Amino acid sequence: MRSRILMIFAAGLLLAACETAGEETSEASGVGAVSTGVIVEETEIASVVPGSQEDLLLNVGDRIFFGFDSSELDSNSQDVLKNLAAWLQANPGTTITIAGHADNRGTREYNLALGERRANSARDFLVALGINPSRVGTISYGKERPAVLGDFDEAWAQNRRDVFEVNG
């Protein structure tokens, strides 16, 4: 119990330190764009290489989410994948890997298979939109690489995802 309280306290201090650093950057530079609460220098935006992971994150996003025990694409996921297809068409030399993930419920084997179904679902959608299948690889991490640790609804929801990774 004591270690849990200390962990929560440490996490709070870490978050407070992160927020303070962002505020200092904003005040010190006087130049920046605010996007989703993160201050990004204008020079950083100008230096983003087309077809890079940063370009993907800035223009499309790098993930979609799934319902419990599902590999079905909802309308939000389909919209992101349509944007990803357009981005891939604009960057014809770029290949990606779709990494399928699951929450920590269920066995390792089951979640690896679920992550694979999720990655393949997104890949199949992109291929149906005209993206060459050789440009889109898949991998499943199952429950092995959680984005958020914990056994509560919000953590599980964030871990049921596909993440898009630009290759090389």
Side-chain angles (χ1 to χ4, degrees):
M1 181 68 164
R2 175 179 247 162
S3 64
R4 198 175 252 189
I5 292 171
L6 286 174
M7 286 176 48
I8 292 170
F9 179 72
L13 286 175
L14 185 60
L15 288 173
C18 291
E19 187 166 329
T20 301
E23 292 170 2
E24 291 171 4
T25 302
S26 172
E27 293 169 5
S29 69
V31 177
V34 178
S35 173
T36 63
V38 176
I39 297 172
V40 179
E41 296 293 326
E42 286 180 12
T43 54
E44 290 177 23
I45 293 172
S47 66
V48 171
V49 176
S52 67
Q53 186 71 37
E54 294 81 15
D55 184 34
L56 173 68
L57 185 59
L58 185 65
N59 291 298
V60 177
D62 71 344
R63 62 195 61 207
I64 57 174
F65 298 94
F66 294 89
F68 174 70
D69 196 28
S70 174
S71 59
E72 187 173 320
L73 299 168
D74 64 17
S75 62
N76 290 336
S77 295
Q78 289 178 16
D79 290 343
V80 171
L81 290 168
K82 288 174 187 173
N83 291 334
L84 177 57
W87 183 85
L88 285 166
Q89 288 169 343
N91 296 284
T94 303
T95 62
I96 64 167
T97 298
I98 301 173
H101 297 268
D103 63 36
N104 63 354
R105 297 174 288 181
T107 66
R108 180 178 186 275
E109 294 77 16
Y110 181 83
N111 283 321
L112 283 170
L114 180 58
E116 183 176 359
R117 287 193 306 274
R118 288 174 172 164
N120 286 333
S121 179
R123 180 180 187 273
D124 293 346
F125 192 86
L126 291 171
V127 169
L129 293 173
I131 302 302
N132 186 326
S134 67
R135 296 182 60 200
V136 184
T138 61
I139 189 166
S140 174
Y141 293 113
K143 64 181 179 178
E144 303 303 319
R145 295 186 180 186
V148 178
L149 296 175
D151 289 323
F152 51 94
D153 289 337
E154 293 83 10
W156 293 327
Q158 291 296 308
N159 291 329
R160 296 189 303 260
R161 70 198 190 282
D162 278 347
V163 178
F164 316 127
E165 302 165 353
V166 173
N167 299 326

